[in-house]
Amino acid sequence: MARCFPFSSFVSQSTPTVSPKPSSAPVIKEEAPGPSAIWISPGSPLRIQSRKRKRSDWIPTGTQDRWAVKGMFGLKMQLKRRRVSTVRPEDYKAFNRLLGDPVVQNFLAWDRKLRVSDKYLLAMIIAYFARAGRPSWQYQRLHFFLALYLANDMEEDCQGPKHGMFVFLYGQDRTQRAKFQWLRAQLFRAIGWKAWVTREECEEIQAYQPGHWVWKRDRALLQ
């Protein structure tokens, strides 16, 4: 059982700052709300890094928008919004490495009907890794299941099948399930509460390695 829980140490802080003004009454300038990330690795001291909210932090689904010229019509110029993905090569690297884990392989073989691990839910794992922004080597088996569980929370109406993950992680030990749920909430916080992933973004993630065997886990092919 994995014992590294790097998502468990994110907290939110917000402190107003005072900006002086020549007049007698001071003017209070507040920072935009946002989490100050505290990353705790086992056996290492706290390292606190605070930052102000940037405009890009408010863009949904972990992507940024850019504008490109679509066409010229007389004196008018039509623009179209072009999304720029924030998924990094190391996020794919971490995902592919975890697919080789024997427990993950047994779980995927068990879910033959793709109730909790079809290609879109698996693509969401990579999206969550990108939004958390951790180095690829820090992701372990537990993080794969945490991200997949959160993806099922967002996309699936039937919540029962996802509980099969507990059997592969903990066997018949039910005492660890409460800790798993707590860690899932920490992952949710680590990705900035942005758990929604569009179908378009999932397809862009799959297009990075279009021939990957895992993208053949398509429910439409089972019907």
Side-chain angles (χ1 to χ4, degrees):
M1 181 181 66
R3 297 183 64 84
C4 179
F5 307 126
F7 291 127
S8 63
S9 54
F10 285 83
V11 298
S12 298
Q13 297 176 352
S14 180
T15 306
T17 59
V18 178
S19 177
K21 193 175 181 181
S23 61
S24 58
V27 177
I28 303 300
K29 181 181 179 181
E30 294 187 356
E31 295 180 0
S36 297
I38 302 180
W39 180 266
I40 302 178
S41 299
S44 63
L46 288 176
R47 294 193 296 270
I48 303 177
Q49 180 181 4
S50 300
R51 62 179 178 83
K52 293 183 179 180
R53 277 283 192 181
K54 297 180 181 179
R55 179 183 178 273
S56 60
D57 295 340
W58 297 100
I59 298 176
T61 70
T63 58
Q64 299 178 359
D65 291 338
R66 293 183 180 177
W67 293 91
V69 178
K70 184 176 181 180
M72 297 292 293
F73 304 93
L75 298 178
K76 296 181 179 180
M77 180 172 61
Q78 185 175 357
L79 299 177
K80 64 177 181 179
R81 180 174 293 176
R82 181 167 56 90
R83 242 179 15 91
V84 179
S85 176
T86 59
V87 179
R88 309 163 302 170
E90 51 262 42
D91 301 319
Y92 292 97
K93 180 180 178 180
F95 178 76
N96 289 331
R97 174 172 55 81
L98 293 174
L99 287 177
D101 185 283
V103 175
V104 173
Q105 290 180 346
N106 290 338
F107 172 77
L108 295 178
W110 167 78
D111 187 26
R112 291 177 296 178
K113 295 184 178 180
L114 310 181
R115 296 174 297 175
V116 291
S117 61
D118 76 334
K119 63 179 183 178
Y120 290 105
L121 293 171
L122 293 173
M124 291 174 70
I125 296 176
I126 301 178
Y128 292 160
F129 285 179
R131 294 174 190 182
R134 298 297 102 193
S136 62
W137 60 268
Q138 290 187 356
Y139 293 108
Q140 301 179 15
R141 173 196 306 165
L142 177 62
H143 305 126
F144 180 95
F145 285 103
L146 287 170
L148 184 59
Y149 196 96
L150 181 58
N152 276 269
D153 284 343
M154 294 300 299
E155 295 294 334
E156 299 301 316
D157 295 328
C158 183
Q159 299 297 308
K162 68 181 180 181
H163 293 163
M165 300 181 197
F166 296 138
V167 177
F168 287 88
L169 275 173
Y170 308 120
Q172 300 301 321
D173 184 4
R174 295 177 175 269
T175 62
Q176 299 294 326
R177 297 189 180 188
K179 181 182 290 186
F180 181 93
Q181 295 292 353
W182 182 79
L183 290 170
R184 182 197 61 82
Q186 301 309 307
L187 170 61
F188 194 16
R189 178 181 295 182
I191 64 177
W193 315 106
K194 299 174 183 177
W196 175 257
V197 183
T198 65
R199 185 185 184 94
E200 178 187 9
E201 187 175 1
C202 288
E203 292 174 349
E204 289 178 359
I205 290 172
Q206 296 164 12
Y208 184 81
Q209 294 177 318
H212 201 301
W213 63 269
V214 79
W215 308 138
K216 297 179 181 179
R217 299 176 65 87
D218 191 345
R219 291 178 186 174
L221 300 179
L222 299 180
Q223 299 176 356

